[in-house]
Structures are given as C-alpha cells and as structure tokens.
Amino acid sequence: MTEVSFDIFIKQNGKTILSPLYVSLLQEIEKSGSLRIATKRLGISYQHLWQLVKEINISAKEPLIIKKRGGVGGGGAILSQYGKILLNEYSIIEKQIIKFQNQLNTEINL
Amino acid sequence: MTEVSFDIFIKQNGKTILSPLYVSLLQEIEKSGSLRIATKRLGISYQHLWQLVKEINISAKEPLIIKKRGGVGGGGAILSQYGKILLNEYSIIEKQIIKFQNQLNTEINL
C-alpha cells in the first residue's frame, strides 16, 4: 500500500510560526495549561520546551503563548487570543489537507 | 504575509520511500549520475549518502538506485526503472500539491 502524507508548515514573513512540533505544543498547552504535562506528552525537556515557546513567540506577529507564574504544578501557560485564532485556523486548513490527501491516495498508482 | 507549505512524504507499507531529502538525492542521481556531485549539492558526507541509498533501497518494494563501480569520478549510480517511475509520479503529485497550496494561500486569513 502506497500513501502520501504531509508535514504542514505555516510561515509568516518567511518565519515558521506553525510546524508539526509547534502545533503539538500549542495543542498540549490549550488542553492542559500545564508545562510539565506538555513536556511529558511531547517527550522533550523543560529547556527544550522553553526554547520552543521563545521561538514561537518571536516568530509570529503576536505572541501565541502567555506564561503564567509557577506554582505547585511547576508553572503554566495559556494561549493568547491570537494563539487560539491561529490554532483554530490551522484545524480548518488541516481538514482541507486531509480531504485532499485522501483524494490523492485514491489516485496514486505506485 | 502568511503562507502554508508542505513537506511531502510517500510511504509504502508504513515505510517512508520518498521524503524531501530522498527526492533531492534521487533527482541529483538522475541529473548527474555522480555521487561526488550529489554529496556536494546536498551538503552531506559520502557516509551519509550511502546510508541514505541503503535506506531508500530497502524501504521501497524494489530498489530505486543502482550503484555503479567506482572510477575516476569516484563511482556513480543510476535510477532503476522503478526509481524513474516513482520520481516521475512524484513530480505529478507535487504539481497537484503546489496547485492546492496556491489555492490555500489565497484563502488564508491570519
């Protein structure tokens, strides 16, 4: 069985603002708000996570992630309004891409 | 300016047979037949190149690259018949994807 798949990237002024890894991070933050849980789910270190948050926030035209002060749970973060809009738009685009991908896969002959 | 782009992957029975790097390698081999030139163009070492050739040839249902004995030019390689078919089919798929991508980019609002 031969199948086509895609890694999706969204760039703003040449800078990557959404990659598969960035999307996973934003989705985890949206779901749990806990950075500790996000590191576990993504299998990355805290240091790597902070690096990603920094990269994402300076790449997009507005920050996507807002950090919250640490507490018992090791600190948290939420999506900014623009982060929510972006992730929502991404879901819409992703649906179109999956539809296109499914159609391509019915035509592929390899 | 916000733009969507894709990295394209083609899998056969769950194994990646075409990735952006694999495609670049196959295209270089098709163009020059020289592995030395391919390493330079891709910015990889000979060792890395041979690793890629091995990976590609065991992943697809038939080998895509046929090695030729070394000579003055440091040995060469050509695409197998199946390699040529695959690369040609990839170009057709890529064109459809670029068309789809351009359409998405006219609709994106971020």
Side-chain angles (χ1 to χ4, degrees):
Chain A
M1 193 182 178
T2 307
E3 286 178 307
V4 183
S5 65
F6 307 110
D7 278 357
I8 306 165
F9 295 85
I10 295 182
K11 290 182 183 183
Q12 224 160 44
N13 304 318
K15 286 180 193 163
T16 299
I17 60 166
L18 290 181
S19 67
L21 182 57
Y22 287 0
V23 168
S24 298
L25 176 58
L26 294 171
Q27 286 171 338
E28 286 303 330
I29 288 173
E30 190 175 49
K31 255 192 279 179
S32 72
S34 159
L35 298 177
R36 189 176 53 80
I37 294 175
T39 56
K40 286 197 177 172
R41 290 266 174 77
L42 300 175
I44 61 175
S45 67
Y46 258 105
Q47 204 182 353
H48 189 185
L49 182 136
W50 285 119
Q51 184 55 37
L52 291 175
V53 170
K54 200 175 148 189
E55 276 171 27
I56 292 173
N57 278 348
I58 60 170
S59 299
K61 63 183 180 188
E62 291 179 36
L64 307 184
I65 300 164
I66 300 166
K67 296 176 218 170
K68 293 169 77 181
R69 285 187 180 278
V72 180
I78 55 169
L79 298 189
S80 68
Q81 195 56 32
Y82 186 61
K84 285 179 196 170
I85 291 169
L86 204 63
L87 203 56
N88 186 53
E89 186 76 13
Y90 178 87
S91 300
I92 295 167
I93 291 170
E94 194 186 28
K95 277 186 195 126
Q96 287 180 264
I97 290 166
I98 290 169
K99 206 173 146 189
F100 173 71
Q101 181 183 327
N102 289 340
Q103 201 202 314
L104 262 186
N105 281 329
T106 62
E107 293 167 9
I108 204 167
N109 182 24
L110 287 168
Chain B
M1 192 182 179
T2 306
E3 287 180 305
V4 182
S5 65
F6 307 109
D7 278 357
I8 306 164
F9 295 86
I10 295 182
K11 291 183 183 182
Q12 223 160 45
N13 304 319
K15 287 181 191 160
T16 299
I17 60 166
L18 290 182
S19 68
L21 181 58
Y22 287 1
V23 168
S24 299
L25 176 58
L26 294 172
Q27 285 170 339
E28 286 303 329
I29 288 174
E30 190 174 50
K31 255 192 280 181
S32 72
S34 159
L35 297 177
R36 189 175 55 80
I37 294 175
T39 57
K40 287 197 176 172
R41 291 265 175 79
L42 300 175
I44 60 174
S45 66
Y46 258 105
Q47 203 181 357
H48 189 185
L49 182 135
W50 284 120
Q51 184 56 38
L52 290 175
V53 170
K54 200 175 148 189
E55 275 171 28
I56 292 173
N57 277 348
I58 59 170
S59 298
K61 64 183 179 187
E62 289 179 36
L64 306 185
I65 299 165
I66 299 166
K67 297 176 221 169
K68 292 168 76 180
R69 283 186 181 280
V72 179
I78 55 169
L79 298 190
S80 67
Q81 195 56 31
Y82 186 61
K84 287 179 196 169
I85 291 169
L86 204 63
L87 203 56
N88 185 54
E89 185 76 13
Y90 178 86
S91 301
I92 296 167
I93 291 170
E94 195 186 28
K95 278 187 195 127
Q96 287 180 265
I97 291 167
I98 290 169
K99 206 174 148 190
F100 172 70
Q101 182 182 328
N102 290 340
Q103 201 202 312
L104 263 186
N105 281 328
T106 62
E107 293 167 10
I108 203 166
N109 181 26
L110 286 170

